[in-house]
Amino acid sequence: MTQPVLAYRWSRSEFVRASEAGAFDHRVELIEGEIWPVVIGSWHGDTVGQLLALLPRSGVRVTTATLPTGESLPDPDCWVRRAGAEPIGSVGSRLSVWDASDVLLVVEVADETTIQDLNVKAKLYGQAGYPVYWVVTQEAIYEHTGPISTGYRTRVEYLHGESIPVPYTDIALATDDLIAPRPV
């Protein structure tokens, strides 16, 4: 007879204590009580670098910090907040909590995590009320807008050769400039 396996769900405070104590030997994030490894390959790293270099910075802060979201602690590849925004709280000794109205754009670069980023993380970020969420893949950038309790109302796909509007500005950027070339 097979015994059911009970999965342990981490609380945010347990995860923070473990992280601050150095319990993890590699980069991880807490998503809905589960610990997910964070894997960064060459294409992923190159694309994040391009995003960081090209996202407009006037009146905003572009960061790669953990973004506490509900009971989860995701590590978006980058996100943008108003320059004058002040944290509304903290998690542990190192993480700031931000008001959703101050978070202008959240970006995940998806190499091996496309399904999770388009589904699980879209739900998390939408529930938190972040107005715009991008998932950058090798083929396209998926823009999510209109946050609701189940994720986002709208998802638009921007392909190579197109431009995507930057939500906190009145400019658009070429997807080909944001997506690093495919590895050979």
Side-chain angles (χ1 to χ4, degrees):
M1 175 177 215
T2 304
Q3 295 291 329
V5 176
L6 298 176
Y8 184 77
R9 308 294 274 179
W10 287 69
S11 72
R12 193 166 74 169
S13 61
E14 289 172 324
F15 180 85
V16 168
R17 280 194 312 274
S19 179
E20 289 178 349
F24 305 115
D25 62 357
H26 56 283
R27 190 171 162 197
V28 294
E29 60 188 343
L30 179 67
I31 306 297
E32 297 184 328
E34 297 178 359
I35 296 177
W36 289 9
V38 176
V39 179
I40 300 174
S42 296
W43 173 84
H44 183 280
D46 289 347
T47 298
V48 171
Q50 287 184 214
L51 286 158
L52 292 172
L54 294 173
L55 285 173
R57 297 175 183 275
S58 180
V60 301
R61 303 282 281 178
V62 179
T63 183
T64 59
T66 297
L67 182 59
T69 303
E71 287 301 306
S72 294
L73 297 171
D75 270 332
D77 290 299
C78 66
W79 57 280
V80 180
R81 69 175 184 267
R82 296 180 203 291
E86 295 290 330
I88 59 171
S90 63
V91 177
S93 63
R94 300 185 302 208
L95 300 177
S96 296
V97 177
W98 301 92
D99 187 274
S101 65
D102 290 323
V103 177
L104 307 174
L105 172 65
V106 179
V107 181
E108 293 283 0
V109 174
D111 193 2
E112 300 174 9
T113 59
T114 304
I115 299 301
Q116 295 93 330
D117 291 343
L118 288 173
N119 295 296
V120 178
K121 286 192 175 179
K123 179 182 170 190
L124 283 179
Y125 297 141
Q127 286 175 336
Y130 304 138
V132 182
Y133 169 50
W134 289 357
V135 176
V136 181
T137 69
Q138 290 184 25
E139 293 77 31
I141 300 175
Y142 297 90
E143 178 188 58
H144 300 75
T145 56
I148 56 176
S149 64
T150 56
Y152 289 90
R153 279 187 188 13
T154 307
R155 180 167 75 190
V156 176
E157 179 180 22
Y158 293 88
L159 301 171
H160 286 280
E162 297 180 340
S163 293
I164 185 168
V166 179
Y168 56 93
T169 70
D170 56 359
I171 68 166
L173 295 172
T175 57
D176 291 334
D177 291 340
L178 296 171
I179 302 171
R182 293 180 176 110
V184 183

